[in-house]
Amino acid sequence: QFLQPTQAQILKLESAVYGLRNAPRRWYERIAQDLVALGFRQHQLDQCLFMAYDKSGDLIGLIGVYVDNCLKAGDDSSSEWKRLIEKVKALDSWSPWEYSDSLFTGTRLTQNSTGAIKMSQEGYSSKINAITMQRSLKPSRQIDDKLRTQLRAADGALQWLVSNTRMDLAASTSMCQ
């Protein structure tokens, strides 16, 4: 039952709540525990990558977890992989699952008929705001807080591009930072 708190009431949260800083970690801990219980193995070098193997030891599928998003890839001809995915679907009330063309953490993923996957951040990059700055002849010119905030936001947005699809921007982004 939902309580309507008054100013005099204090409520204690018994679990993580979406939007709080501990929620992504708590969700990850739960999904990791659930996937391992289903038989997935966590990768030794990347704890956010879960691997599924068939009875003969062949890799049949992967699930990557990022904050509150998952990305799966697997052998759709494998009955074991299909069974595992049905169990994963039953773990939670997921947003609708997307296939062939989806958006994952700001990256458009499109799979063609041969199985090749194209990654694009064109939509994301088109939303990065240009910053107007005045030229100054003085190297010691101080910038105000508003411009500093804008520059940090632009650097962060560019860094996200670099770390996902635009490695060609790494040097210039690093120099700006």
Side-chain angles (χ1 to χ4, degrees), residues 10-12 17 21 23 41 59 62 71 73 75 78 86 88 96 99 109 126 128 133 141 143-144 149-150 156 159:
I10 296 175
L11 300 177
K12 178 182 177 187
V17 175
R21 64 185 169 95
R41 294 185 215 162
L59 180 68
L62 305 163
L71 189 62
D75 180 1
S78 166
E86 288 307 312
V88 170
Y99 299 89
L109 303 174
S126 69
I128 298 174
M133 294 177 55
R141 175 182 170 234
I143 61 172
D144 61 23
T149 299
Q150 290 175 328
Q159 187 61 45

Side-chain angles (χ1 to χ4, degrees), residues 40 52 60-62 73-76 78-85:
F40 284 83
I60 56 172
L62 305 163
D75 180 1
D76 288 332
S78 166
S79 59
E80 286 184 67
W81 175 245
K82 289 179 183 177
R83 179 185 55 77
L84 270 174
I85 288 303

